[in-house]
Amino acid sequence: MNTAIHEERPEWRAKNSKIDVMSGDALLILDHSMIPSIAGVKWNATPTVSVEIKPKCGFLPISVFIAKENAIKKRVSRFSMHQHLKLARGMIKTVSRYSPLDLFSGSYEKIREAIQALFETPQNNLRVFVDGVLVFGTSAGCPDSQSSEKGGTDYPFESVDRTLKRIISCRDGKRVSLLQRLVLEFLYSSESLSLLLEMQKLDLYDIEGAIHAYYKLLQKRNKTCLGSENRKVDHGIADQTKENDLEGNALFDWLSSLTLEDCRRVVRDYLIAATAKDCSIMITFKQLPIGTTVDDDFTQTYCLENGQNFCSKISFLDLDLKPLKKMPYYYMLDQEIVKSYMSGDSVIGN
């Protein structure tokens, strides 16, 4: 199996990790790129389409533990700031105009704009599969997936439009917009985004607060914690915790007074939130045979203006809990992202 799937794995992942063939445990996971059997539905030969979105963090932090010099995090999304760092490091060629804040906004129009932006510059945040085969976007981890295919054509989605010809009935050049409509309708009418945002918001303290709980949990001090008594704290926004009456240094005094069980809770919630911020959503859909209705509380349906009726399922992927040992890495990356954005290393405007 390790040999058989080697070519299917992203190059960076295949290089850095291998399947442990000596392990006595394995997980049997559903293929979320396919629609399961539904009672009363006799499927035809129409292919199944699945769109994978890595939405990233959908809210702005308001934690009082964010240092005053890093207060930009309360005004600019983590995704947007990270784009600057990636551009400066040559990891991407173009900054995406996609906004996770729009995707999680609950606004139909803003979600539509977010989906359009993902298709324009998918990077590793959007991929499209037909019957499990990648047709748009690139493997996660590959440098910059500018899959707009702009070479030699005025229409940036010509290749994927041809692929969708067997699935969506309309004139050439319109299929990708109808694909985006399906994604929009299924996402907007489901609770998937709101549930995911709820998990992301378990991060009450931001990494700048959680890192202190981490080191106390490990019963060690680190240079990231040293000098905290001298740090400037932006407490202009009321603390969302019960200690909103504390100010300045007392905030860190309060954190240092936490029990080990309190620290476990803070770190656990941060890692759950980090997992939710980095997971993917898979929207999978297939055309229903003419005259077929679905009586299933877990299956959504939507009829396009051309009369085609599709059913969908939505799944979450990559839910492995982030490892405890990565807490220092998360802190350092957070500081690098803010520093790069504030210094304008990527030489692009705000």
Side-chain angles (χ1 to χ4, degrees), residues 240-257:
Q240 67 273 38
T241 72
K242 62 181 180 180
E243 302 298 326
N244 59 8
D245 58 320
L246 298 180
E247 295 184 0
N249 298 335
L251 290 167
F252 290 96
D253 293 339
W254 173 78
L255 185 56
S256 65
S257 71

Side-chain angles (χ1 to χ4, degrees), residues 312-349:
S312 168
K313 71 164 187 173
I314 298 180
S315 311
F316 293 107
L317 312 178
D318 301 328
L319 294 176
D320 309 69
L321 188 64
K322 296 299 182 182
L324 179 66
K325 65 182 180 181
K326 293 196 73 173
M327 289 289 290
Y329 166 77
Y330 293 141
Y331 178 84
M332 297 305 297
L333 177 61
D334 178 78
Q335 300 302 297
E336 288 177 11
I337 289 172
V338 174
K339 181 179 179 181
S340 176
Y341 183 82
M342 295 300 292
S343 65
D345 286 346
S346 55
V347 199
I348 51 181

Side-chain angles (χ1 to χ4, degrees), residues 26 34 72 90 126 134 212-213 217 243-244 248 277 315 318 320:
M34 305 300 289
I72 189 67
L126 181 135
L134 182 68
H212 294 271
L217 185 62
E243 302 298 326
N244 59 8
K277 293 173 187 178
S315 311
D318 301 328
D320 309 69

Side-chain angles (χ1 to χ4, degrees), residues 19-43:
I19 292 178
D20 183 2
V21 296
M22 301 304 293
S23 175
D25 300 298
L27 291 175
L28 181 62
I29 301 175
L30 292 174
D31 184 352
H32 292 300
S33 67
M34 305 300 289
I35 292 283
S37 59
I38 299 176
V41 178
K42 187 176 181 180
W43 295 113

Side-chain angles (χ1 to χ4, degrees), residues 146-289:
Q146 309 294 88
S147 300
S148 51
E149 310 171 12
K150 292 185 178 178
T153 177
D154 292 331
Y155 180 54
F157 305 109
E158 185 174 357
S159 176
V160 68
D161 188 84
R162 288 195 303 268
T163 302
L164 294 173
K165 194 171 185 177
R166 298 177 296 152
I167 304 162
I168 299 177
S169 301
C170 66
R171 63 186 178 88
D172 292 349
K174 294 295 183 180
R175 298 185 187 93
V176 172
S177 63
L178 289 180
L179 173 64
Q180 293 175 1
R181 168 69 68 81
L182 287 170
V183 174
L184 169 61
E185 296 294 341
F186 288 132
L187 272 181
Y188 182 73
S189 60
S190 80
E191 296 182 346
S192 302
L193 290 174
S194 59
L195 290 173
L196 186 58
L197 184 60
E198 184 180 342
M199 292 299 99
Q200 292 183 359
K201 287 186 174 181
L202 287 175
D203 176 14
L204 292 176
Y205 306 97
D206 190 76
I207 186 61
E208 293 188 48
I211 192 66
H212 294 271
Y214 166 77
Y215 281 115
K216 181 168 184 179
L217 185 62
L218 268 59
Q219 292 292 290
K220 61 174 70 172
R221 286 180 65 83
N222 180 274
K223 62 181 180 181
T224 59
C225 289
L226 295 178
S228 63
E229 63 276 5
N230 297 320
R231 297 183 62 189
K232 298 176 183 177
V233 182
D234 179 11
H235 47 86
I237 300 178
D239 186 12
Q240 67 273 38
T241 72
K242 62 181 180 180
E243 302 298 326
N244 59 8
D245 58 320
L246 298 180
E247 295 184 0
N249 298 335
L251 290 167
F252 290 96
D253 293 339
W254 173 78
L255 185 56
S256 65
S257 71
L258 292 176
T259 66
L260 288 183
E261 188 56 39
D262 290 333
C263 291
R264 289 189 187 95
R265 175 181 51 79
V266 171
V267 173
R268 179 204 64 197
D269 287 352
Y270 177 84
L271 293 174
I272 292 173
T275 302
K277 293 173 187 178
D278 201 41
C279 74
S280 294
I281 297 177
M282 182 79 87
I283 307 102
T284 304
F285 45 89
K286 188 178 181 74
Q287 183 183 356
L288 286 167

Side-chain angles (χ1 to χ4, degrees), residues 76-145:
V76 180
S77 75
R78 162 69 173 247
F79 179 84
S80 296
M81 288 194 291
H82 202 175
Q83 288 281 296
H84 288 241
L85 180 61
K86 287 182 175 181
L87 188 66
R89 292 180 173 179
M91 299 170 67
I92 58 175
K93 298 175 183 177
T94 305
V95 170
S96 173
R97 70 178 186 87
Y98 163 66
S99 169
L101 304 183
D102 285 346
L103 189 69
F104 285 95
S105 67
S107 162
Y108 184 91
E109 197 58 33
K110 287 185 177 181
I111 295 173
R112 182 186 63 80
E113 292 175 2
I115 293 171
Q116 287 181 342
L118 282 168
F119 272 84
E120 290 173 7
T121 314
Q123 296 182 4
N124 71 328
N125 298 102
L126 181 135
R127 298 191 294 175
V128 179
F129 301 83
V130 173
D131 282 343
V133 178
L134 182 68
V135 298
F136 184 74
T138 61
S139 297
C142 290
D144 198 15
S145 68

